[in-house]
Amino acid sequence: MLLIPCPNCGSRDETEFHYGGQAHVAYPENPTELNDREWAEFLFYRDNTKGAFAERWLHSTGCRQWFNMLRDTVTYDIQAVYPMGEKRPDTPSITAPEGATK
């Protein structure tokens, strides 16, 4: 099981949380001016990063608060937890598996 560190409640089991998708996806500045293709890209196209990835999470059975988490998609290591609206922390973009050499 993955333990997720809620910024309000402390570490809890992953079953208490809901994944909210990629973090830091800006809402279109002029949504009425978007064509169908641009709306589709905004709604459905997301990065598929190998390594550090910023995600939104909801502590649905605890404090019911949203927060951002920086997680390595290869190792599942949680690198940072930070409030909604804050800038993503700086980290290496790709993590090599243990024992791998560059």
Side-chain angles (χ1 to χ4, degrees):
M1 267 309 149
L2 184 63
L3 284 179
I4 296 177
C6 174
N8 303 306
C9 305
S11 292
R12 300 287 193 267
D13 188 85
E14 68 181 299
T15 59
E16 293 188 17
F17 298 87
H18 280 96
Y19 178 73
Q22 181 177 350
H24 310 292
V25 177
Y27 192 77
E29 196 171 308
N30 296 311
T32 57
E33 296 176 6
L34 298 181
N35 62 36
D36 290 343
R37 171 127 180 116
E38 292 166 332
W39 262 116
E41 289 176 4
F42 167 70
L43 292 172
F44 304 112
Y45 289 25
R46 295 294 180 257
D47 295 337
N48 188 15
T49 304
K50 182 178 182 180
F53 188 67
E55 306 168 328
R56 295 179 306 163
W57 285 85
L58 170 67
H59 192 180
S60 54
T61 63
C63 62
R64 302 182 60 86
Q65 297 294 309
W66 285 94
F67 60 92
N68 289 331
M69 180 167 64
L70 194 60
R71 184 178 62 85
D72 189 304
T73 59
V74 176
T75 64
Y76 291 95
D77 288 337
I78 297 170
Q79 299 171 347
V81 173
Y82 55 103
M84 298 290 285
E86 272 193 19
K87 205 172 165 183
R88 175 187 163 154
D90 291 331
T91 60
S93 59
I94 296 179
T95 303
E98 281 186 40
T101 58
K102 291 186 177 181

